[in-house]
Amino acid sequence: MNAGMDVFFLTMGAAMVLAMHAGFAFLEAGTVRRKNQVNAMVRVLTDFGFSTIAYFFIGYGIAYGTYFFAPVPELMQLGGKSNAYELVHFFFLLTFAAAVPAIISGGITERIRFWPNVLATVVLVSLVYPFYEGLIWNGNHGFQTWLNSMFGAKFHDFAGSVVVHAMGGFLALGAVIMLGARRGRYSKDGRVNAILPSNIPYLALGSWILCVGWFGFNVMSAGVAGAVSGLVAINSLLAMVGGMLTALVVGKNDPGFVHNGALAGLVAICAGSDIVHPIGALAIGGAAGVIFVFGFEIIQNRLRIDDVLGVIPLHGVCGAWGGIAAGIFGSTAMGGAGGVTFMTQLVGTLTGVGLAVISGFAVYGAIRAILGLRLSEEDEYQGADLAVHQVAAYPEEDMA
Amino acid sequence: MNAGMDVFFLTMGAAMVLAMHAGFAFLEAGTVRRKNQVNAMVRVLTDFGFSTIAYFFIGYGIAYGTYFFAPVPELMQLGGKSNAYELVHFFFLLTFAAAVPAIISGGITERIRFWPNVLATVVLVSLVYPFYEGLIWNGNHGFQTWLNSMFGAKFHDFAGSVVVHAMGGFLALGAVIMLGARRGRYSKDGRVNAILPSNIPYLALGSWILCVGWFGFNVMSAGVAGAVSGLVAINSLLAMVGGMLTALVVGKNDPGFVHNGALAGLVAICAGSDIVHPIGALAIGGAAGVIFVFGFEIIQNRLRIDDVLGVIPLHGVCGAWGGIAAGIFGSTAMGGAGGVTFMTQLVGTLTGVGLAVISGFAVYGAIRAILGLRLSEEDEYQGADLAVHQVAAYPEEDMA
Amino acid sequence: MNAGMDVFFLTMGAAMVLAMHAGFAFLEAGTVRRKNQVNAMVRVLTDFGFSTIAYFFIGYGIAYGTYFFAPVPELMQLGGKSNAYELVHFFFLLTFAAAVPAIISGGITERIRFWPNVLATVVLVSLVYPFYEGLIWNGNHGFQTWLNSMFGAKFHDFAGSVVVHAMGGFLALGAVIMLGARRGRYSKDGRVNAILPSNIPYLALGSWILCVGWFGFNVMSAGVAGAVSGLVAINSLLAMVGGMLTALVVGKNDPGFVHNGALAGLVAICAGSDIVHPIGALAIGGAAGVIFVFGFEIIQNRLRIDDVLGVIPLHGVCGAWGGIAAGIFGSTAMGGAGGVTFMTQLVGTLTGVGLAVISGFAVYGAIRAILGLRLSEEDEYQGADLAVHQVAAYPEEDMA
Amino acid sequence: MKKIEAVIKPFKLDEVKDALNDIGIHGLTMTEVKGFGMQKGHTELYRGAEYVVDFLPKVKVEVVVPEERLDAAVEAIMNAARTGKIGDGKIFVLPVEQTVRIRTGERDEDAL
Amino acid sequence: MKKIEAVIKPFKLDEVKDALNDIGIHGLTMTEVKGFGMQKGHTELYRGAEYVVDFLPKVKVEVVVPEERLDAAVEAIMNAARTGKIGDGKIFVLPVEQTVRIRTGERDEDAL
Amino acid sequence: MKKIEAVIKPFKLDEVKDALNDIGIHGLTMTEVKGFGMQKGHTELYRGAEYVVDFLPKVKVEVVVPEERLDAAVEAIMNAARTGKIGDGKIFVLPVEQTVRIRTGERDEDAL
Ligand SMILES: Nc1ncnc2c1ncn2[C@@H]1O[C@H](COP(=O)(O)OP(=O)(O)O)[C@@H](O)[C@H]1O
Ligand SMILES: Nc1ncnc2c1ncn2[C@@H]1O[C@H](COP(=O)(O)OP(=O)(O)O)[C@@H](O)[C@H]1O
Ligand SMILES: Nc1ncnc2c1ncn2[C@@H]1O[C@H](COP(=O)(O)OP(=O)(O)O)[C@@H](O)[C@H]1O
């Protein structure tokens, strides 16, 4: 009976995070130009598909040492839990793993080639992500033990500010740089040209789906229903609101900033959502909203990195902020539950960021060298929808 | 274990009602003109944000006397419940409180100024709504005791036909009147000019999201999983269907009426969903569909109140109908569970309606006097998207 | 307490499958031409409404012998279960029953008349579907006993590959043929003319909603939380991914094929999701993706049946494949849980398909003879939105 | 016959149509166009980046009239479309050599 | 050279294009326009309020032809676009003084 | 006065506008049109069915100029719009008999 409830619990969590991938799809489709909407949506969907294959056959085993090749009667009792709990646990964690390519997708969109991108997805989800995931969440390779002995606590990342988001966001750094900016984005004379989003309502829909699904992402990270905590829910809520409202003000009412600001808050709260005080969560989220807006402008306009959706500031920087913030606001001095230290959080976060940056350059650099990453100039000009999918987003319209 | 399950239960409820706010956003964005879509969506989102702040720091305390300033270890046990149940209870009830500005938003859209609206939201969610909420749902100020002694039963409003919907809908009355009609809506020569919706699919999407989320709104109003009742689910279903089908027929296949008719049924069933017979629910919902269609036409065309989405008939009138109907169909004579009296339901409903009407005129009247409520003529003409957010809903299009 | 949890469990399942109907609405609205979007959405919504009435008053009783006319206190304990479990069980199964007209809708769209379609919905959901449903899921009329004695096992259709999907898809065969192709679809000189979809993002949204909701469809088919199985979740996942990825490759990146391929996999896995091995599920789904793509092309271009969304290959053929596949991959020889035989699955499936084909011709043929099925040539030309609903999908645009 | 092409502010279309109807002209064709001229466009702001929208939505009304109604038609359009603010638009008159009504094959003034 | 402007029913575009091709005219430009004329618009109904849609979707085909092909072209369009029902549209012919092919700089008839 | 109608590739609009501005022409009207000509359309593929898109997106720029600026304007457009690849489009020149500025009632060259 307990096991049944836990399976129910994680199924809901997994379904909610699965839905978040639809959120990624719409956020991206709304932000790109019309001629790339179909490609954005198909890539997000199929990246999820390839991630599933990669994680099922390889990745999950690397992180947790578990494989699913036994016959059904054994699978039903895998790990000693009934009702095939372990299988839904895989499903839940897959939806996290698959978020990594979904995050990167928003940075490299409008010019990436299809199959090279699939290859990157498979490599990241079968190897890179599970390596760090196992390090942090499964205690692999003694990293957590070492952190504990050095800095007095294990690295605490409850729902993946660093394991998922900073990882995805900083992997995107290498990807976007290896790929180069969209044609026309930066003129030789130094001007930055606005390439405008096609559809704010799609963007908003994507953001809403992500916001709602995030409560599965965070709350169900408890793993079993008995361990669930209302604190995680309220902290997610307040961080979301904090990010949305500071982005509203700092971003001067811009709908892109407001809708992504809510996500910035949610990214940042994942790590400490089970230990910080709700008012701490509001502060963490509020700071994330500000970080996102300024980070976006610096990366786009100052550093001239054409990260289309702003996934580096959103998931990368705000994720790292969340990892570190858990070490600050999680302390009992700040009204938190304690059990964390600032130094562990800092070192654990930087390790993740470093691994992501290096892997991003390595993986996308290698694929560029071997296969090439970019659409041809002509394909980019006519749009990935026609170039890759032989059809536009609104086919009826094209028939005069 | 029980507590874990209850936290899970309410988290799902809260997530579903949070999603309803996306429904409000799309329902509104689809009904307004293109030039106001962004503003509609940003306002619904940020109203939710400001509501969270207002209800967290003030409103919830006013309704239930509980605050969240203790450190985390105490919060985890707040109210003597484990797993921080009380915190997710706050989250669930917040999503109800925040529905009040979301409802009003549909009436005042296309011409309201941004920050005066934020102020109204904060006042309503921190003071007005919690006052009535506490009266009914927390037994504050002895109102329920008095009703019980006068009319033989307490006021029964299981999921907020009156507490949430009639409150929101009738608050909108004052708001809309204080604000005035959109320019061009009513000609001096007495003609009513159609101002047409931009996007029926968005409207339909909004309605669908609301319909699905409503099962969280109603079913999870049980508060704890042990108290949940399948009757609430089936009654919500049948009332939704009743409203949709009568609106189809009376509204002559109009997609706006059909999609809102389903909502009318759901508004009306909230109050009595735990006590009426399913066939009673069908009747309540069916009547609500008719009330909505005729109410809409009377308010728009006869009374010349420019309530854009029809929130006064939808949430106000149908909500009041639901409060009263619980007193009719809830009786054992009608196959219901009993425990209600017609007079209590009538008096309780009218009290809520009266409070809403008065507060609406007072709050929006005061804000109008101090800050002004309306966009300038020019801003209204060019649209709230450009005026308030400096960007349109489909920015790519605007670049010739 | 158990009963409360089960009510919670099924409420979530029912809400998720209810949401799938929004998915049907968007999948259809995106695939039809702009002039038929409103009609597609209104028909899917109101078909759900009429199905509710039909199944509540007649259909459920035919399938399970249970009616809901007793007063509330009795209803709360119906079937000896507390918390009105039986009522939410009705709700859950209704969402399945209502899927039948929703499936058919995608085949007959763009030219069907409104009220004749309502009549067909009522007949199918009150009589045809419940007859087969009761045969299989309630052991009515001794069919299962007979299968068991003949072929060594009962027909196993865990979540309705055959009971729901093959039924819907093959009912559509008669409906589409009785109705005839859309004007201009097939020229007299033998050419097949592309009639292009209006909106791929809507189509994708529909597909995503269906995918997510499907986890309620399948997992909650356990009925009670204690019986839930993580195997069902992971199998649904892998079949979805299998269908999506083979459709990607075989369908040459076509967004319509990719998004529907995921659904093809899900259709096929319903029957055996509780017994096949995850790798078997991947194979079943992968095959379904291929079947769908080729089936679509054969039916549209070779057989010249104008099944607009391809519901015959998607739900019909893939559903039948799923029923049979459960007899192959469910065997212990294939690592499955056993308890099925190939012959039973074959016979059970063919019975369902046969019943559906005959009923489809009979019901739609009779309605055509009595009332007529098709919009007039002029109405079809100007579009169902204006013809049936007197309004277009983007009304603001029409005002010059 | 002459063709009048008037580029006007979109919200003036109905008044222009009515003004033409009032003087007995019951046929016209309109196109949504974008205009660039002395009227300033506006600046939009997206995620911190400004961009100038300098093509403004206008409506082009085309109406072919017999020579003798030209002045009246121009007058009518001018009065109906004028707000007095910059960007009210222009009227151009072009010669038309033939007109045919497709339905009947009628030609020239009979076709109008 | 002459410019033919034909306002036709949208679903006739393909036939008009083919008819022009048949007589050797392989270039044209089309615009989605809305027309007002004798053809009645329709009434839509939204939430109980009626409104009249009196501008109907039309397609404007513009094709510039050398003088000597004018009559054939007008004829071709007329035949292809005619349904015989009201609203079939009009053909207008205007004089063109110069034509340039941008790609090559060719002028006048060479540019067509 | 003359009216120049130039059908160009959409992404050349900004350059054409700038080129006209450079020679002192500050007013123009543009329309999104679709063109059919020697430039090949593309084939799309939907669910296994091919269909040919042979009308390609173009932009039509209309600018009315005084006679003496005609040649400069045509030249400017030609240079700005040329890519040298097929489909660059055409320029047509038509006579204009009257121009009115709606706002002021100014006529002819004063109205430009
Ligand atoms: N020379 C021109 N040729 C064609 N269209 C023009 C020309 N000048 C202006 N227009 C059109 O007229 C519109 C209004 O012109 P503008 O200069 O802004 O104001 P005004 O009409 O008050 O002089 C422009 O947006 C453009 O569409
Ligand atoms: N005087 C006119 N000038 C410009 N366009 C016209 C004129 N009269 C009609 N049209 C166009 O021709 C279309 C068809 O005209 P209408 O009077 O409805 O029918 P018919 O072409 O059968 O006479 C109109 O919708 C309009 O676009
Ligand atoms: N005779 C014509 N009349 C009107 N428009 C034309 C004509 N010929 C071509 N066009 C327009 O010019 C565009 C470009 O023509 P095309 O023949 O493709 O290439 P090019 O301009 O290089 O000769 C076409 O898409 C069409 O819009």
Side-chain angles (χ1 to χ4, degrees):
Chain A
M1 164 72 197
N2 265 15
M5 180 159 149
D6 291 340
V7 168
F8 172 31
F9 179 73
L10 270 199
T11 298
M12 293 312 303
M16 290 173 82
V17 190
L18 172 61
M20 288 175 70
H21 289 264
F24 283 117
F26 275 87
L27 193 70
E28 187 173 326
T31 309
V32 301
R33 285 164 293 178
R34 265 170 81 105
K35 63 182 177 185
N36 296 314
Q37 287 182 346
V38 166
N39 182 251
M41 305 198 85
V42 172
R43 264 192 303 105
V44 172
L45 180 66
T46 55
D47 270 353
F48 183 87
F50 289 108
S51 297
T52 303
I53 305 291
Y55 199 63
F56 180 79
F57 286 102
I58 307 176
Y60 193 76
I62 288 188
Y64 302 102
T66 305
Y67 294 91
F68 306 100
F69 303 123
V72 161
E74 283 175 47
L75 287 184
M76 293 300 293
Q77 310 294 335
L78 208 66
K81 303 200 191 90
S82 63
N83 294 63
Y85 172 84
E86 189 63 24
L87 302 184
V88 76
H89 194 226
F90 162 81
F91 180 19
F92 184 64
L93 286 174
L94 160 71
T95 59
F96 282 55
V100 167
I103 289 166
I104 298 169
S105 177
I108 60 182
T109 189
E110 302 209 83
R111 59 217 192 274
I112 188 86
R113 284 174 56 208
F114 192 81
W115 290 101
N117 177 59
V118 168
L119 181 59
T121 293
V122 169
V123 172
L124 296 177
V125 178
S126 57
L127 301 176
V128 177
Y129 170 79
F131 172 76
Y132 186 66
E133 182 191 16
L135 225 56
I136 304 304
W137 285 347
N138 201 41
N140 294 354
H141 308 298
F143 182 62
Q144 287 281 27
T145 318
W146 175 79
L147 283 172
N148 196 16
S149 65
M150 287 295 287
F151 307 113
K154 291 186 178 174
F155 179 58
H156 186 90
D157 187 6
F158 181 67
S161 281
V162 181
V163 173
V164 178
H165 294 282
M167 178 59 57
F170 280 107
L171 278 166
L173 180 66
V176 172
I177 289 177
M178 284 295 114
L179 193 56
R182 288 167 294 172
R183 270 164 225 289
R185 180 75 174 108
Y186 303 111
S187 314
K188 275 168 220 135
D189 61 359
R191 265 190 310 143
V192 178
N193 303 310
I195 297 186
L196 296 169
S198 51
N199 196 309
I200 303 289
Y202 290 175
L203 181 160
L205 177 61
S207 170
W208 267 110
I209 297 174
L210 284 161
C211 283
V212 174
W214 221 295
F215 287 86
F217 200 95
N218 286 4
V219 175
M220 277 62 166
S221 280
V224 293
V228 72
S229 155
L231 182 64
V232 174
I234 202 175
N235 281 345
S236 304
L237 170 72
L238 286 170
M240 176 183 87
V241 165
M244 166 208 310
L245 295 184
T246 58
L248 172 75
V249 173
V250 179
K252 303 202 182 93
N253 293 356
D254 183 288
F257 281 141
V258 177
H259 283 93
N260 279 286
L263 307 180
L266 285 161
V267 164
I269 200 59
C270 290
S273 57
D274 60 331
I275 52 171
V276 306
H277 191 275
I279 297 175
L282 187 63
I284 291 173
V290 176
I291 291 170
F292 171 62
V293 171
F294 288 121
F296 185 90
E297 295 188 2
I298 291 168
I299 287 171
Q300 300 278 327
N301 300 336
R302 218 82 62 78
L303 304 183
R304 304 169 84 80
I305 295 174
D306 190 18
D307 167 13
V308 181
L309 268 68
V311 300
I312 302 169
L314 180 57
H315 298 273
V317 184
C318 291
W321 158 241
I324 295 165
I328 303 169
F329 292 91
S331 67
T332 50
M334 302 292 278
V340 285
T341 71
F342 177 77
M343 276 310 292
T344 302
Q345 294 304 113
L346 186 68
V347 173
T349 299
L350 292 180
T351 307
V353 170
L355 181 68
V357 170
I358 293 167
S359 309
F361 279 96
V363 171
Y364 287 90
I367 295 177
R368 184 170 79 170
I370 302 167
L371 297 175
L373 280 173
R374 261 188 101 110
L375 290 178
S376 72
E377 179 163 359
E378 206 186 312
D379 283 353
E380 182 178 343
Y381 172 70
Q382 79 166 332
D385 292 0
L386 286 180
V388 179
H389 307 280
Q390 287 92 48
V391 77
Y394 308 91
E396 188 187 4
E397 265 178 21
D398 291 348
M399 297 300 278
Chain B
M1 168 68 199
N2 264 16
M5 181 162 148
D6 292 340
V7 168
F8 172 33
F9 180 73
L10 271 199
T11 298
M12 293 313 303
M16 290 173 81
V17 190
L18 172 61
M20 289 174 70
H21 289 263
F24 283 119
F26 275 86
L27 193 70
E28 186 172 328
T31 309
V32 301
R33 286 164 291 180
R34 266 171 81 104
K35 64 183 177 183
N36 296 315
Q37 287 181 347
V38 166
N39 182 250
M41 306 199 84
V42 173
R43 263 191 305 104
V44 172
L45 180 67
T46 55
D47 270 353
F48 182 87
F50 288 108
S51 297
T52 304
I53 305 291
Y55 199 63
F56 181 80
F57 287 102
I58 307 177
Y60 194 75
I62 288 187
Y64 301 102
T66 306
Y67 294 92
F68 306 100
F69 303 123
V72 162
E74 284 175 48
L75 288 184
M76 293 300 293
Q77 310 293 336
L78 208 67
K81 303 200 190 90
S82 63
N83 293 62
Y85 173 83
E86 190 63 26
L87 301 185
V88 77
H89 193 226
F90 162 82
F91 180 18
F92 184 64
L93 287 173
L94 159 71
T95 59
F96 282 56
V100 166
I103 290 166
I104 299 169
S105 177
I108 60 182
T109 189
E110 302 208 84
R111 59 219 194 272
I112 187 86
R113 284 174 56 208
F114 192 81
W115 290 102
N117 177 59
V118 169
L119 181 59
T121 293
V122 169
V123 172
L124 296 177
V125 177
S126 57
L127 303 175
V128 177
Y129 171 78
F131 172 76
Y132 187 66
E133 181 191 17
L135 223 57
I136 304 304
W137 284 347
N138 200 41
N140 294 354
H141 309 298
F143 181 62
Q144 287 280 29
T145 319
W146 175 79
L147 283 172
N148 197 17
S149 67
M150 287 294 288
F151 307 113
K154 291 186 179 176
F155 180 59
H156 186 89
D157 187 6
F158 181 67
S161 281
V162 181
V163 173
V164 177
H165 294 283
M167 177 58 56
F170 280 107
L171 278 165
L173 180 66
V176 172
I177 289 177
M178 284 293 114
L179 193 55
R182 287 167 296 172
R183 268 165 226 290
R185 180 75 173 109
Y186 303 111
S187 314
K188 273 167 221 134
D189 61 1
R191 267 192 306 144
V192 178
N193 302 309
I195 297 186
L196 296 169
S198 49
N199 195 309
I200 303 290
Y202 290 175
L203 180 161
L205 177 62
S207 170
W208 267 110
I209 297 174
L210 284 160
C211 284
V212 174
W214 221 294
F215 288 86
F217 199 95
N218 284 5
V219 176
M220 277 63 166
S221 280
V224 293
V228 72
S229 156
L231 182 65
V232 175
I234 204 176
N235 281 344
S236 303
L237 171 71
L238 286 170
M240 177 183 86
V241 165
M244 166 207 310
L245 296 184
T246 57
L248 172 75
V249 174
V250 180
K252 304 200 183 95
N253 294 357
D254 183 286
F257 280 140
V258 177
H259 283 93
N260 279 287
L263 306 181
L266 285 161
V267 163
I269 200 59
C270 291
S273 56
D274 61 330
I275 53 172
V276 306
H277 190 276
I279 297 175
L282 187 63
I284 291 174
V290 176
I291 291 170
F292 171 63
V293 171
F294 288 121
F296 185 89
E297 295 187 3
I298 291 169
I299 288 172
Q300 300 279 326
N301 300 335
R302 216 83 61 79
L303 304 183
R304 304 169 83 81
I305 294 174
D306 190 17
D307 167 12
V308 181
L309 268 70
V311 301
I312 302 170
L314 180 57
H315 298 273
V317 183
C318 291
W321 157 241
I324 295 164
I328 303 169
F329 292 92
S331 66
T332 50
M334 302 292 278
V340 285
T341 71
F342 178 77
M343 277 310 292
T344 302
Q345 294 304 112
L346 186 67
V347 173
T349 299
L350 292 180
T351 309
V353 170
L355 181 68
V357 170
I358 293 166
S359 307
F361 279 96
V363 171
Y364 288 90
I367 295 177
R368 183 170 81 169
I370 303 167
L371 297 174
L373 279 175
R374 258 189 103 110
L375 290 177
S376 73
E377 178 164 359
E378 207 186 312
D379 284 351
E380 182 178 344
Y381 172 70
Q382 80 166 330
D385 293 359
L386 286 180
V388 178
H389 307 280
Q390 286 93 49
V391 78
Y394 308 91
E396 188 187 3
E397 265 178 21
D398 291 347
M399 297 300 279
Chain C
M1 165 69 199
N2 266 16
M5 182 162 146
D6 292 340
V7 169
F8 172 30
F9 179 74
L10 271 199
T11 298
M12 293 312 304
M16 289 173 82
V17 189
L18 172 61
M20 288 175 70
H21 289 264
F24 283 118
F26 275 86
L27 193 70
E28 186 173 328
T31 308
V32 301
R33 287 165 290 178
R34 266 171 81 105
K35 64 183 177 183
N36 295 315
Q37 288 182 347
V38 166
N39 182 251
M41 306 198 84
V42 172
R43 263 191 305 104
V44 172
L45 180 67
T46 55
D47 269 353
F48 182 87
F50 289 108
S51 297
T52 304
I53 304 292
Y55 200 63
F56 181 81
F57 286 102
I58 307 176
Y60 193 75
I62 287 187
Y64 302 102
T66 306
Y67 295 92
F68 306 101
F69 303 123
V72 162
E74 284 175 46
L75 287 184
M76 293 301 292
Q77 310 293 335
L78 208 66
K81 304 203 189 87
S82 63
N83 292 64
Y85 172 83
E86 190 62 26
L87 301 185
V88 77
H89 194 227
F90 162 81
F91 179 18
F92 184 65
L93 287 173
L94 159 71
T95 59
F96 282 55
V100 167
I103 289 166
I104 298 168
S105 177
I108 59 182
T109 189
E110 303 210 83
R111 61 224 194 266
I112 187 86
R113 283 175 57 207
F114 193 81
W115 290 101
N117 177 58
V118 168
L119 180 58
T121 293
V122 169
V123 172
L124 296 177
V125 178
S126 57
L127 302 175
V128 177
Y129 170 79
F131 173 75
Y132 187 66
E133 181 191 18
L135 224 54
I136 305 304
W137 284 348
N138 201 42
N140 293 353
H141 308 298
F143 181 61
Q144 287 281 28
T145 318
W146 175 80
L147 282 173
N148 197 18
S149 67
M150 288 294 289
F151 306 113
K154 292 187 177 173
F155 180 57
H156 186 89
D157 188 6
F158 182 67
S161 281
V162 181
V163 173
V164 178
H165 295 283
M167 178 57 58
F170 280 106
L171 278 165
L173 180 66
V176 172
I177 289 177
M178 285 293 116
L179 193 54
R182 288 167 294 172
R183 268 164 226 289
R185 180 75 174 106
Y186 303 112
S187 312
K188 274 168 222 137
D189 60 2
R191 266 192 309 143
V192 178
N193 303 308
I195 297 186
L196 296 169
S198 50
N199 195 309
I200 303 290
Y202 290 174
L203 180 161
L205 177 62
S207 169
W208 268 109
I209 297 174
L210 284 161
C211 284
V212 174
W214 221 294
F215 287 86
F217 200 95
N218 285 4
V219 176
M220 276 63 165
S221 280
V224 294
V228 73
S229 156
L231 182 65
V232 175
I234 201 175
N235 281 344
S236 304
L237 171 71
L238 286 170
M240 176 182 88
V241 165
M244 167 207 311
L245 296 183
T246 57
L248 172 74
V249 174
V250 179
K252 304 201 181 94
N253 293 356
D254 184 287
F257 280 141
V258 178
H259 283 92
N260 279 287
L263 307 181
L266 285 161
V267 164
I269 200 59
C270 291
S273 57
D274 61 330
I275 53 171
V276 306
H277 190 275
I279 297 175
L282 186 63
I284 291 174
V290 176
I291 291 170
F292 171 62
V293 171
F294 288 121
F296 186 90
E297 295 187 4
I298 291 169
I299 288 172
Q300 300 278 325
N301 301 334
R302 217 83 62 79
L303 305 183
R304 303 169 85 82
I305 296 175
D306 190 18
D307 167 13
V308 182
L309 269 68
V311 302
I312 302 169
L314 180 57
H315 298 274
V317 185
C318 291
W321 157 241
I324 295 164
I328 303 169
F329 292 91
S331 67
T332 50
M334 303 291 279
V340 284
T341 71
F342 177 78
M343 278 309 293
T344 303
Q345 294 303 114
L346 187 68
V347 173
T349 299
L350 291 180
T351 309
V353 169
L355 181 68
V357 170
I358 294 168
S359 308
F361 280 96
V363 171
Y364 287 91
I367 295 177
R368 185 171 78 170
I370 302 167
L371 297 174
L373 279 174
R374 260 189 102 111
L375 290 177
S376 71
E377 179 163 1
E378 205 186 313
D379 284 352
E380 183 178 344
Y381 173 72
Q382 80 166 331
D385 293 0
L386 286 180
V388 179
H389 308 278
Q390 287 94 46
V391 78
Y394 309 92
E396 187 187 4
E397 266 178 19
D398 291 348
M399 295 301 279
Chain D
M1 297 151 295
K2 302 294 171 188
K3 179 162 110 159
I4 304 172
E5 294 192 3
V7 179
I8 60 170
K9 292 189 169 160
F11 68 99
K12 281 294 190 181
L13 174 63
D14 265 345
E15 284 172 55
V16 167
K17 184 195 70 185
D18 292 345
L20 288 169
N21 278 350
D22 285 351
I23 58 165
I25 297 173
H26 297 292
L28 60 86
T29 301
M30 84 90 172
T31 314
E32 288 173 11
V33 298
K34 287 185 179 176
F36 177 84
M38 291 192 294
Q39 186 188 4
K40 278 262 151 35
H42 56 268
T43 301
E44 300 194 13
L45 192 67
Y46 182 70
R47 292 209 185 173
E50 281 202 355
Y51 57 98
V52 181
V53 173
D54 47 20
F55 280 90
L56 296 171
K58 300 279 172 191
V59 158
K60 180 167 79 177
V61 172
E62 291 172 280
V63 47
V64 174
V65 294
E67 199 109 19
E68 67 272 17
R69 317 192 66 168
L70 177 65
D71 291 344
V74 168
E75 195 71 17
I77 295 174
M78 219 168 73
N79 290 334
R82 185 186 292 138
T83 69
K85 295 214 197 99
I86 210 164
D88 274 353
K90 315 277 184 198
I91 299 173
F92 304 118
V93 178
L94 286 83
V96 171
E97 299 181 350
Q98 287 183 35
T99 299
V100 185
R101 187 193 306 277
I102 292 172
R103 171 165 48 95
T104 56
E106 284 163 291
R107 299 250 161 185
D108 297 337
E109 318 231 329
D110 295 337
L112 291 176
Chain E
M1 295 153 299
K2 302 294 170 189
K3 179 163 112 163
I4 304 172
E5 294 190 3
V7 179
I8 61 171
K9 291 189 170 160
F11 68 98
K12 282 293 190 181
L13 174 62
D14 266 344
E15 285 173 56
V16 166
K17 184 194 71 184
D18 293 344
L20 288 169
N21 279 349
D22 286 350
I23 59 163
I25 295 173
H26 297 291
L28 60 84
T29 300
M30 84 91 173
T31 314
E32 289 173 9
V33 300
K34 289 186 177 173
F36 177 84
M38 290 191 293
Q39 186 188 4
K40 277 264 151 36
H42 56 268
T43 302
E44 301 194 14
L45 191 68
Y46 182 70
R47 292 208 186 175
E50 281 203 355
Y51 58 98
V52 181
V53 173
D54 47 20
F55 279 92
L56 296 171
K58 300 279 171 190
V59 157
K60 181 167 77 176
V61 172
E62 291 172 281
V63 47
V64 173
V65 293
E67 201 108 16
E68 66 272 18
R69 318 191 66 167
L70 177 63
D71 291 344
V74 168
E75 195 70 18
I77 295 175
M78 220 168 72
N79 291 333
R82 184 186 293 137
T83 69
K85 295 213 196 101
I86 210 164
D88 275 352
K90 315 277 184 195
I91 299 173
F92 304 118
V93 178
L94 287 81
V96 171
E97 299 180 351
Q98 288 184 34
T99 299
V100 185
R101 187 193 307 275
I102 291 172
R103 172 165 48 94
T104 57
E106 284 163 291
R107 299 252 161 184
D108 297 338
E109 317 231 327
D110 295 337
L112 288 176
Chain F
M1 296 152 299
K2 302 294 172 190
K3 178 162 109 160
I4 305 172
E5 294 191 2
V7 179
I8 60 170
K9 292 190 169 158
F11 67 100
K12 282 293 191 180
L13 174 63
D14 265 345
E15 285 172 56
V16 167
K17 183 196 71 187
D18 292 346
L20 288 170
N21 278 350
D22 286 351
I23 59 164
I25 296 173
H26 297 292
L28 61 86
T29 300
M30 84 90 174
T31 314
E32 289 173 10
V33 300
K34 288 185 177 174
F36 177 83
M38 291 191 293
Q39 186 188 4
K40 279 260 151 37
H42 56 268
T43 301
E44 302 194 11
L45 192 69
Y46 183 70
R47 293 209 184 172
E50 282 203 356
Y51 57 97
V52 181
V53 173
D54 46 19
F55 279 91
L56 296 171
K58 300 278 170 190
V59 156
K60 180 167 79 175
V61 173
E62 291 172 281
V63 46
V64 174
V65 294
E67 199 110 18
E68 66 272 16
R69 317 193 65 168
L70 176 63
D71 292 344
V74 167
E75 195 71 18
I77 294 174
M78 220 168 73
N79 291 333
R82 184 186 295 138
T83 68
K85 296 212 197 98
I86 209 164
D88 275 354
K90 315 277 183 196
I91 299 173
F92 304 118
V93 179
L94 288 83
V96 171
E97 299 182 350
Q98 287 184 38
T99 300
V100 185
R101 188 193 306 277
I102 293 172
R103 171 167 47 97
T104 58
E106 285 163 290
R107 298 252 162 184
D108 297 336
E109 318 230 330
D110 295 337
L112 291 176

